[in-house]
Amino acid sequence: MSILKEFKTFALKGNVLDMAVGIIIGAAFGKIVNSLVSDIMMPPLGMALGKVDFSQLKYVMGDGPDAASINYGLFINNVISFIIVAFAVFLLVKGVNTVRAKLEKAEEKPAPTEKVCPYCCSKIPLAATRCPHCTSELDKKGKK
């Protein structure tokens, strides 16, 4: 099999396509969360803390226009964004696990309450020691 055929088989598998869609949606969701944090949540929080703009918080190392800086305000924004994304993923996984558990529970078969008489093949209660249809005597395993 040629390399191109192998790659085509790999790339068109359902799991790879699902993963690609997940990554694209995750990237878009990340942008929404970043906007939520930096544009909606942090301005009121900054106002409450004395008109602080978190995106401008930094420690400048040196003097002049080329001085390096540690932008800890942006780091705080990113940490809050991460917490929101992690919580959203947690809720999604929890929801999927709940649905999966309910589906698995619904698929479980209940314990049998009947057995088949080995003589006449009629269904009889598990505890029966005599078949009500053919009157054959049965032991506890359902045989004579």
Side-chain angles (χ1 to χ4, degrees):
M1 188 182 261
S2 73
I3 294 289
L4 289 176
K5 278 189 174 181
E6 286 183 49
F7 179 73
K8 182 180 175 184
T9 302
F10 168 77
L12 295 179
K13 283 184 180 177
N15 293 345
V16 174
L17 292 174
D18 292 344
M19 183 179 68
V21 169
I23 290 170
I24 292 167
I25 290 175
F29 181 68
K31 288 181 180 181
I32 291 171
V33 170
N34 284 336
S35 177
L36 171 72
V37 171
S38 61
D39 301 331
I40 295 176
M41 292 176 64
M42 296 312 275
L45 183 61
M47 289 296 290
L49 295 175
K51 298 184 181 178
V52 175
D53 182 3
F54 280 88
S55 65
Q56 299 300 318
L57 293 178
K58 59 186 167 186
Y59 175 74
V60 180
M61 299 182 296
D63 293 329
D66 295 334
S69 64
I70 298 175
N71 300 319
Y72 63 91
L74 293 175
F75 178 75
I76 292 170
N77 284 352
N78 288 330
V79 168
I80 293 172
S81 294
F82 170 78
I83 291 170
I84 292 171
V85 169
F87 186 68
V89 169
F90 166 75
L91 292 178
L92 177 69
V93 170
K94 183 175 169 69
V96 167
N97 287 343
T98 301
V99 169
R100 185 177 292 154
K102 286 181 182 180
L103 289 175
E104 288 174 0
K105 190 173 184 180
E107 291 177 1
E108 290 178 4
K109 293 183 180 179
T113 59
E114 296 178 320
K115 60 184 176 184
V116 177
C117 172
Y119 301 104
C120 68
C121 296
S122 300
K123 289 186 178 181
I124 58 175
L126 278 177
T129 56
R130 185 177 292 272
C131 177
H133 304 285
C134 69
T135 68
S136 296
E137 212 173 302
L138 309 169
D139 65 5
K140 291 187 180 183
K141 294 181 184 175
K143 296 183 179 179
K144 192 172 187 179

